[in-house]
Amino acid sequence: MNQEYCQSCGMPMEDISLYGKEKDGSKSLDYCTYCYEDGSFRKPDETMEEMIETCIPFMKENGMAEEEARAILNNALPHLKRWSK
């Protein structure tokens, strides 16, 4: 089974409860509940740089160094659906 990742923040979506919801109540196949609710982004004006700053503290809580977290996010986020142009 493929690992699904939020196409906004890159978080692994390991459980159905982590999936965001569409306007009709169905689960979003692309975005997590922290980024997406009721068919739209919770912070629609958030930039990718702001998303990186939001994610770093959570990665640090899981034992990752800030520099490593920043490097991973800077490499991964530009390729996700929300941020790729």
Side-chain angles (χ1 to χ4, degrees):
M1 181 174 154
N2 287 343
Q3 174 67 60
E4 297 294 328
Y5 295 89
C6 176
Q7 293 296 304
S8 176
C9 70
M11 181 184 77
M13 297 195 300
E14 300 168 336
D15 186 85
I16 192 76
S17 67
L18 295 175
Y19 286 78
K21 298 275 189 214
E22 297 294 349
K23 209 168 212 37
D24 66 3
S26 64
K27 76 175 181 174
S28 168
L29 298 178
D30 293 323
Y31 303 111
C32 76
T33 188
Y34 302 110
C35 292
Y36 196 78
E37 178 180 58
D38 216 15
S40 60
F41 291 110
R42 290 178 180 250
K43 296 180 181 177
D45 298 324
E46 185 170 41
T47 66
M48 185 176 68
E49 292 74 23
E50 289 169 334
M51 176 63 76
I52 289 168
E53 296 305 318
T54 297
C55 293
I56 287 172
F58 296 103
M59 295 172 80
K60 285 173 60 178
E61 279 181 17
N62 289 322
M64 192 175 292
E66 181 172 340
E67 299 76 27
E68 182 182 4
R70 188 176 302 282
I72 289 170
L73 292 165
N74 275 313
N75 287 323
L77 264 58
H79 302 287
L80 299 178
K81 186 181 280 190
R82 181 175 184 184
W83 310 112
S84 64
K85 299 285 183 235

